[in-house]
Amino acid sequence: MQQLFIGDISLSDGTIESVLLLESAARVEFRMWDGGKAIFRFKGVIGVRDRNAAGQEVESLETEDVLPIRSVPTDPFIAELLEERPEGRAEGVTRYAFIGSWTMRPILEVYAEEVEAERAYAL
């Protein structure tokens, strides 16, 4: 497997194979359009919204920095996540949203401090 930046992996027309949630971490296995496989490892996870993502096709991945709690997020889910976050965490939180090909809406959202991506090429 080759280490890659998340931006180097084309998610268009790929499929989420599995989502594994761990304490403050998540792992997403992804099958790309060319048969290759990518694995995304999220660290410092404070929350996940999974809309039955396993088996669904993905159009793209959107990323967005989540503002601190003092800016009063409009989404109650995000406000609750930030309120429950342990004090002293200096790292910023990013929303990683896998956008479904058919709905053009998020099918999986991961709120995490960082992500690492690996790609395995098809044989």
Side-chain angles (χ1 to χ4, degrees), residues 16 18-21 26-30 40 42 47-54 56 58 60-62 95-100 105-111:
I16 294 175
S18 67
V19 178
L20 176 63
L21 304 176
R27 175 184 164 121
V28 176
E29 293 188 10
F30 189 83
F40 300 96
F42 297 91
V48 175
R49 284 183 181 166
D50 184 353
R51 296 172 180 91
N52 299 318
Q56 292 194 50
V58 172
S60 62
L61 177 72
E62 293 178 356
R95 172 185 168 256
Y96 300 92
F98 292 82
I99 305 301
R105 294 178 178 237
I107 56 174
L108 176 65
E109 295 172 275
V110 180
Y111 295 82

Side-chain angles (χ1 to χ4, degrees), residues 24 44-46 81-91 113:
S24 73
V45 174
I46 64 168
L81 290 179
L82 293 173
E83 283 176 7
E84 293 178 8
R85 189 172 189 212
E87 287 188 36
R89 297 297 297 189
E91 294 84 359
E113 294 172 358

Side-chain angles (χ1 to χ4, degrees), residues 66-74 82:
V66 176
L67 300 173
I69 189 65
R70 48 186 184 273
S71 66
V72 187
T74 57
L82 293 173

